[in-house]
Amino acid sequence: MNELLRGLDPEQREAVMCPPTATVVHAGAGSGKTRVLTHRIAYRVATDTARPENILAITFTREAAGEMRRRLGALGVGHRGNSGPTVGTFHAVALALLRQRLTDVSQPIPNIVHNRTALATSAAGSHRLASKPRDILMEIDWAYARMIPHTDYVAAVKRLQRTPPAPAGEVAEIFKQYEALKKKRQVVDLDDLLARVVADMNTDSVYAEAVRWRFKHVFVDEAQDMNPLQYALFDAIRGGRPDVFVVGDPLQAIYGWNGADRMLFDNLPNTISQVTVLQLPNNYRSSPHIVNAARHTALQTGEPVHIKAVREDGPPVRVARFHDAQDEAEGIAKLLWQYAPSAGANPWQSCAVLVRTNVQIAAISKALAAAGIPIGSTRQSAEMTAAIGMAAQCTSRNSLATWAADTLSDSEDEAERVVADMVRQFVHLDQPGIIDGRAFNAWVVANAVHNTPKNGVDLLTFHAAKGREWDCVVVAGAETGLLPHGSASSNDQRKEEIRLAYVAFTRAAQQLFITYADKRNNRNAGKSPLLDGMPLSANTEANQQLPRFAARPSNQPNLLDDLTTWRRHTGRATNQEPFQVCTDEVLAQLVASQPASVDDLAVIFGPLTAKRVAPALLAIIDKHRAA
């Protein structure tokens, strides 16, 4: 039990140990929310207040679900046959429930549409949106999320002040045709799964009670991103019971454009009786300079901001001004080269460039390549991951092959076509066992077929960066028209843009660069108003003329800097917060005494830990002693 609680700060410990009643946790950026949620589950199991097989933990991405399973396994609450917790996305949970229900009543399991792009194009017919199927699907997904049928779409758009890609009546007609095509082809969307489970639980009390008997303890992560349909599933499974543990951060609610409604999370204390509301304000990820800059931005929503820095400070936030987008792209490469000497042997493995829109990516990607900087994750690799996920839904060899053939025939999406070609390779291999989407996904993982460079600079949108972190982050295009985005016309939309900037800034742990251009696409741009008055702790804004290489930049790290970086990387590698590796006092002691042997380290750490940390620490100290 003490092992479960070791290293938790007082607020984290309170959240893990609070009574097993309804609990809502406001977890700030970098506050260790996943750690708290998984330790809470482990604590409930350890104290016999919950059985693993009766636990349901819901999150929003497959990656997050996988990380949660990994951490639970490390805490001794992994899968043991059928006795482990159920961890998955809303869609995965709904699909599993629906499959079980239909199997129990000997009904066929519905086929999930494999090529929504082609279906949307067919539904549009001769309409001009036929060439923009993504715009169609965005509107359909928004309507699904808000539980709005095509018959109510026009009224909902008007009521919610949404700007559709075509007149609302025309989009509603395409939506209607899309639904008709699904029915004709006997296929369903993923969101149909949620709606079907919710409807079945609302109309069949015996089924509802069976689901609630199985899932007696419900945990939800990133709850600020719930949309009304997801909330309906959560509420149906909860069934009025108080045993729920919900974690979210209102300041990271950035998916309103896609149907999410942060008020569902904000209003939980009013909709669930006798709720305990807790705060996790301590940011263990970002330096105080970065936290102060992010807080300054977030306060412009006019809402409370509960976040405070608790780690050591780093270099000041730097704002760089450029003439146009091309100058900015080249300047970003120079900024990264300036940062590189202080980042160790693999400087790019923890760097990212974040942009508001995908349109910005091409110029930056070209500039990084020209400067000799490798690129890691990009929008394209994220889309390939999504396409692999689509293929993984196929339940047989035939459906897998059909998905590949349809995609190669109909899809114009390059990522989908690449994955479809991978599927064709897979189905023609002489593989033992069942050949289906799950087997394909396992083959991809096992053979590293979908291979993204690990040591390159990640180049992603703000939205795609959510949930991730890097030592060094460049936030590009922080300018009028992009941040806030020009499409944000209502007060709610502008607030979401502010929260989006907050999310982007808080991805950085050590160094944050913010760049903007005076002109973009032959139009005047200039610094975003969100940066006005931002505390930078130094006069760092200038029209930068940066050297490509900087052998000894002005912020060359001293011994404490290098020891702090070692602590942060060690914590990440061992799934610990930095202060759990060692305290600030220990770092100060290392700087003061500069131990030269394992025996010297043993005085500070004890003999066992000293042997483990000696190779890295002694090398760092020797380097500075020789300098």
Side-chain angles (χ1 to χ4, degrees), residues 382-392 403 413 415-417 419-420 440:
E383 289 181 343
M384 285 187 65
T385 299
I388 291 170
M390 292 167 58
W403 179 85
D413 186 288
E416 288 184 1
R417 294 180 64 82
V419 173
F440 167 68

Side-chain angles (χ1 to χ4, degrees), residues 14-28:
E14 181 182 10
V16 168
M17 298 179 65
C18 67
T21 56
T23 305
V24 174
V25 181
H26 288 236

Side-chain angles (χ1 to χ4, degrees), residues 320-337 353 355 359-371 373 459 474 476-477 479 515-517 519-520 546:
R321 173 187 179 190
F322 298 95
H323 174 64
D324 58 22
Q326 183 59 40
D327 286 344
E328 181 195 39
E330 294 172 0
I332 287 170
K334 293 172 184 176
L335 285 169
L336 289 170
W337 270 115
V353 180
V355 296
V359 175
Q360 299 167 254
I361 288 179
I364 297 173
S365 177
K366 184 177 180 180
L368 295 187
I373 297 175
L459 180 51
V474 180
E479 60 205 34
T515 67
Y516 70 92
K519 291 184 178 294
R520 188 174 296 272
L546 300 170

